[in-house]
């Protein structure tokens, strides 16, 4: 019985860019290029789709890579600020209770 690893392979941005360009310029299918490169066809298909979006050729409302990165950064910042607000609220309540005693 074989076990499938739960870890994902990470590919550099340059590798992804080169793989997408190979699909676009070779006239071969995504599956053929993926097999040649040793990556999953689904992964390569996603890279091709995202590259099209980044070039402005995607569906309306699709986020570019830069927009996705900014969204992740902003969500992280909001989460940190929410935690800070929670700590400050608890500290305020603590000191308010001790001031009256």
């Amino acid at each position: 019985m074989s076990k499938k690893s739960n870890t994902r392979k990470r590919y550099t941005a340059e590798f992804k860019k080169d793989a997408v360009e190979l699909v676009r310029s070779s006239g071969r299918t995504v599956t053929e290029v993926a097999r040649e490169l040793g990556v999953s066809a689904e992964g390569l298909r996603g890279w091709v789709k995202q590259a099209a979006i980044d070039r402005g050729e995607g569906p309306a409302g699709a986020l570019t890579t830069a927009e996705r990165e900014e969204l992740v950064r902003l969500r992280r910042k909001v989460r940190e600020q929410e935690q800070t607000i929670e700590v400050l609220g608890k500290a305020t309540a603590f000191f308010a209770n001790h001031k009256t005693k």
Side-chain angles (χ1 to χ4, degrees):
M1 177 163 111
S2 71
K3 287 187 177 181
K4 193 171 188 178
S5 174
N6 286 338
T7 60
R8 291 176 32 187
K9 285 187 177 179
R10 297 272 180 179
Y11 298 100
T12 65
E14 183 179 359
F15 179 84
K16 292 176 184 180
K17 182 176 151 253
D18 291 345
V20 168
E21 187 55 37
L22 187 58
V23 169
R24 293 184 69 215
S25 65
S26 70
R28 293 181 290 166
T29 66
V30 170
T31 304
E32 291 170 339
V33 173
R35 192 174 301 125
E36 177 184 320
L37 296 176
V39 300
S40 75
E42 295 81 15
L44 181 54
R45 196 168 285 111
W47 300 344
V48 170
K49 180 180 176 183
Q50 188 62 48
I53 292 169
D54 289 347
R55 288 191 310 273
E57 300 169 3
L63 297 177
T64 65
T65 300
E67 291 169 332
R68 285 177 184 272
E69 290 170 354
E70 181 179 18
L71 184 59
V72 166
R73 182 184 62 78
L74 292 173
R75 284 181 174 165
R76 184 178 302 121
K77 187 173 184 176
V78 166
R79 196 168 42 251
E80 290 169 357
Q81 289 177 341
E82 287 172 342
Q83 290 172 345
T84 300
I85 290 168
E86 182 182 346
V87 168
L88 290 173
K90 288 178 180 179
T92 301
F94 175 80
F95 288 115
N97 286 336
H98 281 73
K99 193 175 191 180
T100 59
K101 289 183 180 180

